[in-house]
Amino acid sequence: MPNYQIYIYTASRLLELYKDNQHLRSYPIAVGKKSTPTPPGNYYIATKTMQPGGVFGTRWLGLSIPYYGIHGTNNPSSIGQAVSKGCIRMYNQDVEELYQIVDIETPVTIQA
């Protein structure tokens, strides 16, 4: 079974996906604004939801820290910005791809 790992770099607004310690893909993201920053730390994918709707776009990957997740967006122009309430936003097509690849318990590391 493949060993996936997600790294999120808030300063560069980038999510990187690794499989068995080999870089697979990089995705542009939006992160938390200054007043509601994306929390650094080590987490894991705790839940997966299809079609959460609204501001969450087409997919939700809930993190092991309550109320935070990786999700799509209904505002694609926000990608690359620090505008969220702490969640990680992705283009819907990117989060759909990521959703298909990773499983619950996939480790997620968030760094500045």
Side-chain angles (χ1 to χ4, degrees):
M1 185 168 181
N3 183 20
Y4 291 100
Q5 171 80 35
I6 295 171
Y7 290 93
I8 295 168
Y9 301 99
T10 58
S12 58
R13 297 182 179 92
L14 194 66
L15 182 152
E16 293 188 343
L17 177 63
Y18 285 78
K19 175 183 175 185
D20 299 323
N21 295 318
Q22 297 292 316
H23 181 264
L24 276 185
R25 291 179 176 73
S26 296
Y27 303 98
I29 58 172
V31 297
K33 56 190 168 195
K34 196 172 196 175
S35 61
T36 55
T38 301
N42 295 309
Y43 309 105
Y44 59 88
I45 301 296
T47 62
K48 292 174 70 175
T49 305
M50 294 183 74
Q51 303 300 333
V55 298
F56 301 118
T58 60
R59 300 290 184 276
W60 168 266
L61 297 165
L63 297 179
S64 54
I65 178 173
Y67 311 111
Y68 291 90
I70 302 166
H71 62 79
T73 182
N74 64 353
N75 181 11
S77 66
S78 69
I79 302 302
Q81 308 298 314
V83 294
S84 79
K85 292 184 180 178
C87 286
I88 296 91
R89 293 183 193 171
M90 300 178 72
Y91 290 116
N92 285 326
Q93 66 268 21
D94 290 348
V95 77
E96 288 170 13
E97 180 178 274
L98 185 65
Y99 185 98
Q100 293 299 318
I101 295 170
V102 300
D103 292 317
I104 289 179
E105 297 188 4
T106 297
V108 177
T109 301
I110 300 174
Q111 300 178 354

